[in-house]
Amino acid sequence: KNLNKWDISYHNGNKNIEIDGTFQDSIYIFKCENSAVKVNGKINCISVDGCKKLTLICDTIVSYVEVINCNSIDIRVIELTPTVNIDKSQSVNVHLSEKALDGNTTVNTSKCDAVNISFPNPEDKEDEVEYPIPEQIYTIVKENKLYPQIYFHDKSSYYFPK
Amino acid sequence: KNLNKWDISYHNGNKNIEIDGTFQDSIYIFKCENSAVKVNGKINCISVDGCKKLTLICDTIVSYVEVINCNSIDIRVIELTPTVNIDKSQSVNVHLSEKALDGNTTVNTSKCDAVNISFPNPEDKEDEVEYPIPEQIYTIVKENKLYPQIYFHDKSSYYFPK
């Protein structure tokens, strides 16, 4: 730890990394594989960069959790995060709590595939429901403008504004 | 050429590749760098796979032009293509003709960044206008569903349905 920044780099096969943080702390997890990180307490932000097969469990995030250049990441937010940013990554599962269901969490994705969001099933809270984030945009060129739209493979999972 | 399939692979620095095709022909351009391909006539489909710094000029495409795992590709469609598919690629410029402006061309993008679409400027057809394809999706989790929306950095280029 350096000032308010925790640096967790190059762990391989370490499933017992645990941090007790404060709301001023930021955590940077870099190039870890087959590992698990548990973060207790309220944290400012967490970055996961260049990791494979990583499990991250955290409580409350003040600003964001971000995932960049990763493959096979499992994130569980026990309390709440306002933002999850996922960029240039694949196979990212984000498990949110019941508190996210009031519209308090936004997930931003770019250059990603196989990103799934899970939250408690309203009919059985011990269970989870999982929805994929759409990953394809189709753009029609017409009348000298672009008409970009999200391509929904399975429309049942989503809300469509009227 | 094998039956109706043209195979253009591993060219480096060859700016003079030219093909005269028929509507039954498909063209597969693989691992070419710093090269230029010109395709004359009506072609069934063209795939560009794993290429860098490639220029592709084509006339009329019956089904699609696709770009996969590429970097720095410049495509000019002189007549018309119904579909352009761009996947896992960056820095792709697609130049369309006036004929695309009737809504005849759809561009599908996934896992891409820096994809731009150009077409003739309606006020000066010698000139082009260029619009970026949006690349980020933000998804709000709310009421047990996902609300995915395209994130538009510059709203002036796009059409928004009412």
Side-chain angles (χ1 to χ4, degrees):
Chain A
K1 190 185 178 186
N2 182 5
L3 291 172
N4 289 316
K5 187 166 178 181
W6 300 78
D7 194 340
I8 302 171
S9 297
Y10 301 106
H11 285 267
N12 193 330
N14 184 351
K15 310 257 182 190
N16 297 307
I17 305 164
E18 192 159 349
I19 288 173
D20 295 308
T22 77
F23 71 97
Q24 293 171 308
D25 290 352
S26 63
I27 296 174
Y28 183 60
I29 304 169
F30 182 63
K31 294 267 186 199
C32 290
E33 271 190 58
N34 288 305
S35 296
V37 179
K38 187 170 189 309
V39 178
N40 303 310
K42 196 180 238 181
I43 298 286
N44 181 37
C45 63
I46 303 177
S47 297
V48 182
D49 186 358
C51 294
K52 281 184 197 168
K53 293 187 185 169
L54 181 90
T55 300
L56 170 65
I57 300 175
C58 50
D59 281 340
T60 301
I61 309 297
V62 176
S63 49
Y64 61 84
V65 177
E66 69 179 2
V67 175
I68 305 168
N69 290 318
C70 286
N71 192 342
S72 301
I73 307 294
D74 205 82
I75 297 173
R76 182 173 295 278
V77 182
I78 296 173
E79 293 288 325
L80 200 57
T81 179
T83 313
V84 182
N85 296 321
I86 306 171
D87 189 22
K88 300 187 186 72
S89 295
Q90 63 186 64
S91 302
V92 180
N93 288 315
V94 181
H95 304 267
L96 298 173
S97 74
E98 211 179 339
K99 292 184 185 176
L101 299 180
D102 288 336
N104 294 317
T105 295
T106 302
V107 182
N108 297 307
T109 48
S110 55
K111 247 189 151 174
C112 287
D113 59 28
V115 175
N116 294 303
I117 308 296
S118 306
F119 45 79
N121 186 337
E123 282 154 31
D124 174 7
K125 285 172 187 172
E126 297 298 298
D127 197 18
E128 278 188 322
V129 288
E130 181 182 74
Y131 291 147
I133 296 263
E135 52 202 51
Q136 193 177 24
I137 294 174
Y138 69 94
T139 302
I140 299 170
V141 185
K142 201 174 171 184
E143 291 165 17
N144 308 308
K145 290 218 169 185
L146 303 186
Y147 295 47
Q149 304 282 322
I150 294 172
Y151 186 78
F152 293 96
H153 290 265
D154 170 18
K155 299 202 177 189
S156 66
S157 319
Y158 306 104
Y159 169 86
F160 293 93
K162 285 168 195 160
Chain B
K1 190 185 177 186
N2 182 5
L3 291 171
N4 289 315
K5 186 165 177 180
W6 299 80
D7 195 339
I8 301 170
S9 296
Y10 302 107
H11 285 267
N12 194 329
N14 185 351
K15 310 257 181 186
N16 299 307
I17 306 164
E18 192 158 349
I19 289 174
D20 295 309
T22 78
F23 72 95
Q24 292 173 309
D25 290 352
S26 63
I27 296 174
Y28 183 60
I29 304 169
F30 182 63
K31 294 265 186 201
C32 291
E33 271 190 59
N34 290 304
S35 295
V37 179
K38 186 168 189 317
V39 178
N40 303 310
K42 197 178 236 182
I43 298 287
N44 181 37
C45 62
I46 302 178
S47 297
V48 182
D49 186 0
C51 295
K52 281 184 198 168
K53 293 187 184 168
L54 182 90
T55 300
L56 171 65
I57 301 177
C58 50
D59 282 340
T60 301
I61 308 297
V62 176
S63 48
Y64 60 84
V65 177
E66 69 179 1
V67 175
I68 305 167
N69 289 319
C70 287
N71 192 342
S72 302
I73 306 294
D74 205 82
I75 297 174
R76 183 172 295 277
V77 183
I78 296 173
E79 293 287 325
L80 201 57
T81 179
T83 312
V84 182
N85 296 321
I86 308 172
D87 189 23
K88 300 188 188 73
S89 296
Q90 63 187 64
S91 301
V92 180
N93 288 315
V94 181
H95 304 267
L96 298 173
S97 74
E98 212 180 338
K99 294 184 183 175
L101 300 181
D102 288 335
N104 294 317
T105 295
T106 302
V107 182
N108 297 307
T109 48
S110 55
K111 246 189 154 175
C112 288
D113 59 29
V115 175
N116 295 303
I117 307 296
S118 306
F119 46 78
N121 186 338
E123 282 153 31
D124 173 8
K125 284 172 187 170
E126 298 299 298
D127 196 19
E128 279 189 322
V129 288
E130 182 183 74
Y131 291 146
I133 297 262
E135 53 202 50
Q136 193 178 27
I137 294 173
Y138 69 93
T139 302
I140 300 170
V141 185
K142 200 173 170 183
E143 290 164 19
N144 308 309
K145 289 219 169 184
L146 303 186
Y147 295 47
Q149 304 284 322
I150 294 172
Y151 185 78
F152 293 96
H153 289 265
D154 169 19
K155 299 200 176 188
S156 67
S157 320
Y158 305 105
Y159 168 87
F160 293 93
K162 285 165 198 165

